[in-house]
């Protein structure tokens, strides 16, 4: 829901500046690839797809999404915004994203839930489910917290080490804080850097 609101707000901003928006959804497959278009009819079509929950779920393959975009994006595409949790990033991503960001003005917006970073301080056990395999395990947050946080930090450090070797701009958001202010500041600073 957080990502949907963010993407809808960004798309509305882009459409209102008389620019085109195109899009696709990705998991371990590509769906709903729509070439860039303009106007409110195009925007509302996009929002309808954004709010359709059947467009979400499954494994995530960021590298496959980059390969698809490089092959199918029209030549006149200047700028690409990728919104994801980027949990599937690996060392192969570094090469692909480096090439991708040399072809397109690339902005990465990472959305993380607080539960992606730490476990809650609660008594008892909680069930964790792998979003890709749907396997569940019961854990005691007090016992698993340190290992869980170390793994989350390790994944985030990998992601940041990958993007620092590319030309992509980066904004990190968390779902427990509104996106309007950090997004406005990011866009303002980005605009100043390109003038």
């Amino acid at each position: 829901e957080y990502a949907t609101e963010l993407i809808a707000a960004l798309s509305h901003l882009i459409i209102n500046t008389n620019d085109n928006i195109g899009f696709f959804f990705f998991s371990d497959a590509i769906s709903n690839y729509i070439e860039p278009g303009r106007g409110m009819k195009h925007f509302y079509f996009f929002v309808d797809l954004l709010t359709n929950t059947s467009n979400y779920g499954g494994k995530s393959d960021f590298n496959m999404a980059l390969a698809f975009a490089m092959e199918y994006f029209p030549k006149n595409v200047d700028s690409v915004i990728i919104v994801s949790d980027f949990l599937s990033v690996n060392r192969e991503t570094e090469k692909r994203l480096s090439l991708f960001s040399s072809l397109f003005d690339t902005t990465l917006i990472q959305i993380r839930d607080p539960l992606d970073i730490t476990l809650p301080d609660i008594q008892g056990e909680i069930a964790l489910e792998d979003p890709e395999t749907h396997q569940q395990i019961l854990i005691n947050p007090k016992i698993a917290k340190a290992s869980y946080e170390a793994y989350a930090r390790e994944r985030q450090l990998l992601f940041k080490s990958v993007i620092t070797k590319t030309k992509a701009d980066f904004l990190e958001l968390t779902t427990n804080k509104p996106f309007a202010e950090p997004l406005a500041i990011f866009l303002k600073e980005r605009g100043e850097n390109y003038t």
Side-chain angles (χ1 to χ4, degrees):
E1 291 171 358
Y2 187 96
T4 298
E5 288 181 24
L6 168 73
I7 295 166
L10 270 172
S11 302
H12 193 264
L13 177 67
I14 292 166
I15 287 285
N16 279 337
T17 60
N18 211 28
D19 279 330
N20 295 341
I21 58 167
F23 51 89
F24 68 84
F25 297 87
F26 71 92
S27 54
D28 57 349
I30 303 298
S31 65
N32 297 301
Y33 172 53
I34 306 297
E35 290 203 357
R38 67 179 61 189
M40 292 310 289
K41 184 176 178 183
H42 189 68
F43 169 74
Y44 289 127
F45 173 63
F46 181 36
V47 170
D48 282 346
L49 289 173
L50 272 176
T51 55
N52 183 342
T53 56
S54 68
N55 287 320
Y56 300 94
K59 296 182 178 181
S60 178
D61 190 339
F62 183 54
N63 294 332
M64 177 271 306
L66 289 174
F68 175 87
M70 282 191 282
E71 185 171 347
Y72 290 101
F73 277 5
K75 297 278 188 261
N76 62 348
V77 169
D78 294 320
S79 183
V80 177
I81 300 169
I82 304 170
V83 180
S84 175
D85 57 16
F86 298 104
L87 293 177
S88 66
V89 164
N90 55 39
R91 282 293 163 203
E92 183 187 339
T93 309
E94 190 175 305
K95 292 178 281 185
R96 289 179 184 264
L97 186 57
S98 188
L99 175 60
F100 187 85
S101 64
S102 70
L103 298 173
F104 305 102
D105 176 18
T106 305
T107 300
L108 307 175
I109 300 179
Q110 183 183 40
I111 299 178
R112 300 174 83 198
D113 188 271
L115 288 175
D116 292 335
I117 302 163
T118 187
L119 293 173
D121 288 320
I122 59 171
Q123 296 293 329
E125 296 181 325
I126 60 171
L128 294 182
E129 181 176 318
D130 184 318
E132 296 180 355
T133 65
H134 300 290
Q135 289 182 324
Q136 292 185 347
I137 59 168
L138 281 176
I139 64 161
N140 183 321
K142 290 190 181 293
I143 295 170
K145 188 173 178 112
S147 298
Y148 185 91
E149 289 176 352
Y151 178 75
R153 278 193 303 274
E154 182 183 305
R155 295 296 308 161
Q156 188 66 357
L157 285 171
L158 170 64
F159 172 59
K160 288 192 173 175
S161 75
V162 164
I163 62 171
T164 55
K165 296 171 183 165
T166 72
K167 295 179 178 178
D169 289 330
F170 172 63
L171 173 63
E172 181 181 354
L173 299 170
T174 53
T175 58
N176 60 338
K177 296 176 184 171
F179 62 77
E181 186 176 346
L183 179 62
I185 292 167
F186 173 78
L187 293 174
K188 182 175 184 290
E189 288 174 352
R190 196 170 182 279
E192 289 168 355
N193 289 336
Y194 286 92
T195 55

